[in-house]
Amino acid sequence: MPNTLEKTYSPSGAERRWYAQWQQDGIYHSSPSERTPYSVLMPPPNVTGILHFGHVLNNTIQDIYIRWARLNGRETCWFPGLDHAGIATQTKVEKELKSQGLRRHDLGREAFIGRVWEWKNTYGGIILEQLRTLGVSADWERTLFTMDESASRAVAEVFVRLFDEGLIYRGKRIINWSPVAQSALSDEEVIFREVREHLYTLRYNLENGQGALLVATVRPETIFADVAVAVNPNDERYRHLIGSNVIVPLTGRSVPIIADDYADPAFGTGCVKITPAHDPNDFEIGQRHNLPILQCISADATLNELAGEFNGLDRFVARKKVVARLEDEGLLELKEDYTHNVGFSERGEEAVEPYLSDQWFVRMKPLAEPALEAVRDGRITFYPGHWVRTYEHWMSNVRDWCISRQLWWGHRIPVYYAEDGRFTAALSEAEARHKLGLSATDVVVQDPDVLDTWFSSWLWPMTTMGWQGPFSDEKSPSRQAQELMSYYLPTNLLVTGPDIIFFWVARMIMASLKFKGEIPFRDVYFTSIIRDVKGRKLSKSLGNSPDPLNIIEKYGSDAVRFTMIYLAPLGMDVRLDIDEKSQDIASMELGRNFANKVWNACRFLQIKRQELSEGATASASYQLTTADRWIRSRYASTVKAASAALKEYRITEYAKILYDFIWRDFCDWYVEVVKVQLSKAADDNDRVAILNNAFEIIDGTLHLLHPVMPFITEELWHGLFGHAADDSISTSVAPVCREGDIDVETEERFATLQLMVEALRRQRAEMGIPPGERLDVYIRVRPEEKAFYTSQGAIISALARCAELVIDSDLDKPSGSVADVVRGNEIYLVVAGKIDFDKERSRISKEIERLTAALSGVDKKLSNPNFVANAKPEIIEIERQKKADWTDALAKLQRNRASI
């Protein structure tokens, strides 16, 4: 039996109830079957993570495709998980210890790691619970943590295999160094900010005493590690000095002047100090020219003994003192303001130090070549496609990957050192001794560093399916893992941000091809950046990043999901209207109003069905009306268009197609038509037939809408059709377009009818006619259209509030009427006696004059280059919106005056 729908929809109650039901019934668990598979990899959020709107958008897109594939009969599996987030998690626990007056070294490595596990078990994974609030239909039984035993085994085996093949090596490189965390950072853990500092021009006196080179730098505190000065070989100013020596200020050391294309004659003085230990570009120059490497800044970001009297000073304190000494000695030529981007640690928030150290690296070029080809030859498709160029550029110029981190939390590097300094990679101490030719009593010590978090993440397509590594594959492969991978791999879709195209997407392609000979996914959808209406990225520090859970609580999960998709066109940023004071998002009204519209239309149909006499059955003699055929055609067209939009990853179009059909065609028009039809039906049997058509359309429409609005569609599907509690719309069948129902001519004619009624409504509103007052209406149509529009007279009369309706192909404009033209049809609304024509004409003329003057003022502003160049973007946007609004209003006024 159908359940009576409440007067108003309560999202929070329905959402909690249905998600619990879905979990209880286990309808989202998947196993290999005879059906065609469809699988998605959830980008694993950090174990420390809290839900933000990036997660909302990303996971809603994934859920749309999983739910749509499920409705289409696919065996769907969405693999969820959590990333151990090395530096982020360790930082959390260290802050907790600090509040207790402790450091990790006070506990020791083993005890500290124990504390991190305790923290993870207590607080970690909150974000996965929050994702349930969003309604994601992941197979939670397959949740993987990147530090789980099986995943950890795979990480170790992959490291050892790559080491044995010579693809992992230890070497000195310039890396991003966090003085706070005392660890290397990956590029994605570095946030660049615009910083206003100074550019210092220093005097490097020629060794022969015949003058000096002027060298510009923003880091004078690093001069103690200078080993050369570079000039461009084509720079005529300095070509004669190449091969000479200069004296480094404050040090007395002589260094060579070298020629290198890196030196830009147009920047500063064209002379560049070369400090290989403290700048990645300088390091490359040093390698090219076989220069020595000196290091004057220590791991804690203080200057060392090489800096002499400045030894022990913090780098920024030292900078001020070094500049003062240079000035005292006449070696500071110029100091000027300079704005540039500086990298900061995402976690510690301190300026990152380019630092030379021994680290572990993966040779990337041999892995990159097949991964590049997989995208070029179309096995993997990017959406939007322009990201292929970015991918190609990076993969063609790939640099070796620094994979070691000076942390305790993470996968410890499986390298063991003998007392004589030799080392090898192994899965255990015993294996290491064997590979090193040592006895069982010889001591080996494991490398203290851990692996970059991405080293476990790049194996995600395989480890989520239980894969334990290449050696396990060869010796004792997991039958379950083999079964899952042969069935679900490659997965169908990866949804991620373009900012990690290199750090994660590219590396997953490399790893899957290397270890399984298979691509990890077929399609990659890159999400939009979410901004506020001022164009700023959402940020807690800016106060423009509301808690999604609060927004979901206020508007409902479906409303939030629908709004985000509606506002997220492929390849373009999402703009949210955020009130920084209240932390509300007005944009979400769109989704909530839409949900209410759907609910109210369904409730109306249910009420009308409940009003029918018991035992009434659909009349066999009932013939579908033109309006019935129109809605069936519009529905079939909508199924076709929405399905195509999803297939092509045009998800915003999918949302807009449904919005337009449901709001305008079904709710605003067809429901009103149904009211007319029910009132004029011969008996309840005809009314059953009328409602059956409406219910058939809404059933299919709920299925179309379900992927983006799962909760309300489940509630309505049960409420309208009385399905069993353990049935779910999720596991029913997607609608298929019935091509035979598409009637283009009827759709076009009815679209014209809609425009006619809307024109009449607009005329009434602009003339100030009360909505309930009926007026005479005359419509002149083409002779061949007369029969159609006459047959729809009852609908036009009801929807346009007509007192008398005359439709003919040969009639004159009635006296006292206002006119409009819709697709060649002339419509006349008789307003005689309702308005004073002279007074109304005068009023409109004055308003036209006022608006014309106002528009002229706006046009002058917007055509003024100084205004456009100097005004804030939001002010310019306000002026442009004024122009658009006033232009529209002016056109309406001119049309009204012409019709009187």
Side-chain angles (χ1 to χ4, degrees), residues 416-424 436-438 442-445:
Y416 295 87
Y417 300 85
E419 290 182 319
D420 61 6
R422 291 180 303 125
F423 57 85
T424 190
L436 291 168
L438 301 175
D442 286 326
V443 175
V444 290
V445 178

Side-chain angles (χ1 to χ4, degrees), residues 467-478:
W467 187 68
Q468 296 186 18
F471 298 116
S472 294
D473 269 357
E474 294 161 4
K475 296 175 183 176
S476 56
S478 162

Side-chain angles (χ1 to χ4, degrees), residues 588-644:
M588 296 301 164
E589 291 284 356
L590 183 149
R592 181 166 66 181
N593 292 343
F594 183 54
N596 289 336
K597 190 82 168 180
V598 175
W599 182 268
N600 291 337
C602 290
R603 184 169 176 270
F604 165 78
L605 293 177
Q606 184 183 69
I607 289 171
K608 289 303 172 186
R609 174 171 277 180
Q610 290 170 344
E611 290 175 354
L612 299 178
S613 56
E614 192 173 341
T617 58
S619 171
S621 62
Y622 179 79
Q623 296 292 317
L624 291 176
T625 66
T626 301
D628 293 336
R629 292 196 302 274
W630 166 74
I631 196 64
R632 294 176 78 88
S633 179
R634 285 294 305 120
Y635 167 68
S637 297
T638 299
V639 172
K640 186 175 184 178
S643 300

